[in-house]
Amino acid sequence: MHNPMSMQGKRVLVTGGSSGIGRETAILLSQLGANVILAGRDSTRLNETIDLLQPGDHFAETVDLSESDAIVPWVEKLARSYGKLDGLVHSAGTQTTKPLRSMAVADAGNLLRVNSLSAFALAKAFQAKSVLGPQGGAIVFLASSMGLVGSAGQSMYSASKGAIIAMTKSLAMELVRDRIRVNCVAPAMVCTEMMGRMFGNMLPEQIAAIERTHPLGFGEPRDVANAIAFLLCDCSRWITGSTLVVDGGYTAQ
């Protein structure tokens, strides 16, 4: 039976593959037949993810994506070592909740560098003839509902994710000539370790109040991974420059 979401034989680079949405995306892609290159800072946790994947030609690579100038040569090296890429999922990122008065300029710069500039550098590397597979490919960035709505204490995080949404549109227009589709997924609150750390100092009633802003409740990593896989596979061959909001109804209010 034909599987319209098959990724059989495709090679996909997934950043942030050591946990959360990145890990779940890698697992799903392997189940759909893709060969996955996992990237992250923690080699032990990356190898734990490798063990969760379906059998395939999978690899783990440690990298610090805050070193923006090193990203392009690093991706070129991956292509030489493992083969050209058909897909890119940029799930790695950082989140900080700080009011304007206590947010240092250096902290703001770090958010933009890790969340936004790294995405630009990865896209730049992906389009290179030495990296991109002969059939073209697809890029999926992880944005956030915070790039679409405002929230106190989220100004620079929102800016970094809003930049992803805006960049997706322009890159989609520029890279269409290279047969590259560019889209992003914008989730709200998802049950990951990052969310657990965020809620660590909150009272139960505070957490319950946040959950009430999500009509369908908090999401699970697989909810977002499903959307990412859809945007990578041929099901979405007529979709580019779009933001797929996966937020349990958070931004519909």
Side-chain angles (χ1 to χ4, degrees):
M1 182 177 177
H2 173 66
N3 178 6
M5 287 190 64
S6 173
M7 295 289 294
Q8 194 65 45
K10 302 287 188 180
R11 186 171 302 282
V12 182
L13 171 61
V14 179
T15 71
S18 58
S19 64
I21 293 170
R23 171 175 282 183
E24 193 64 29
T25 298
I27 293 170
L28 176 58
L29 293 178
S30 75
Q31 292 168 345
L32 295 172
N35 299 310
V36 181
I37 302 174
L38 289 169
R41 290 181 297 180
D42 189 326
S43 60
T44 299
R45 301 200 68 185
L46 287 175
N47 287 321
E48 290 172 356
T49 303
I50 288 284
D51 291 339
L52 297 172
L53 305 185
Q54 292 296 306
D57 195 24
H58 310 307
F59 302 96
E61 288 277 338
T62 55
V63 65
D64 183 355
L65 293 174
S66 66
E67 300 294 333
S68 306
D69 291 339
I71 290 176
V72 172
W74 173 73
V75 175
E76 291 172 339
K77 186 187 76 169
L78 294 184
R80 290 194 300 270
S81 299
Y82 305 128
K84 292 186 177 182
L85 301 178
D86 304 290
L88 164 65
V89 178
H90 184 32
S91 178
T94 186
Q95 193 274 341
T96 300
T97 301
K98 281 187 178 180
L100 180 62
R101 66 169 59 89
S102 60
M103 170 71 80
V105 173
D107 293 335
N110 182 63
L111 275 170
L112 291 171
R113 185 170 60 253
V114 174
N115 291 348
S116 310
L117 188 56
S118 60
F120 170 82
L122 286 164
K124 182 177 178 65
F126 186 78
Q127 74 157 351
K129 291 181 179 179
S130 61
V131 173
L132 183 64
Q135 303 302 315
I139 297 172
V140 180
F141 295 130
L142 197 68
S144 169
S145 60
M146 288 296 100
L148 298 167
V149 300
S151 181
Q154 299 286 343
S155 58
M156 286 314 300
Y157 179 70
S158 293
S160 71
K161 292 301 186 177
I164 293 289
I165 292 169
M167 183 166 54
T168 290
K169 295 179 182 295
S170 290
L171 287 178
M173 294 299 94
E174 182 173 346
L175 299 183
V176 68
R177 64 192 180 198
D178 298 315
R179 292 186 295 177
I180 298 173
R181 294 184 299 105
V182 188
N183 295 288
C184 64
V185 174
M189 300 300 293
V190 179
C191 296
T192 62
E193 293 177 12
M194 182 182 291
M195 190 178 89
R197 290 192 295 270
M198 186 186 307
F199 286 171
N201 296 320
M202 291 185 180
L203 297 173
E205 52 266 33
Q206 293 174 310
I207 297 172
I210 295 172
E211 186 168 16
R212 285 195 294 273
T213 66
H214 296 65
L216 297 181
F218 294 141
E220 296 292 337
R222 180 56 67 108
D223 297 321
V224 185
N226 285 336
I228 291 170
F230 167 72
L231 290 172
L232 283 176
C233 76
D234 289 341
C235 279
S236 61
R237 68 182 186 88
W238 207 47
I239 301 174
T240 195
S242 292
T243 299
L244 180 50
V245 180
V246 185
D247 68 351
Y250 177 75
T251 58
Q253 302 168 86

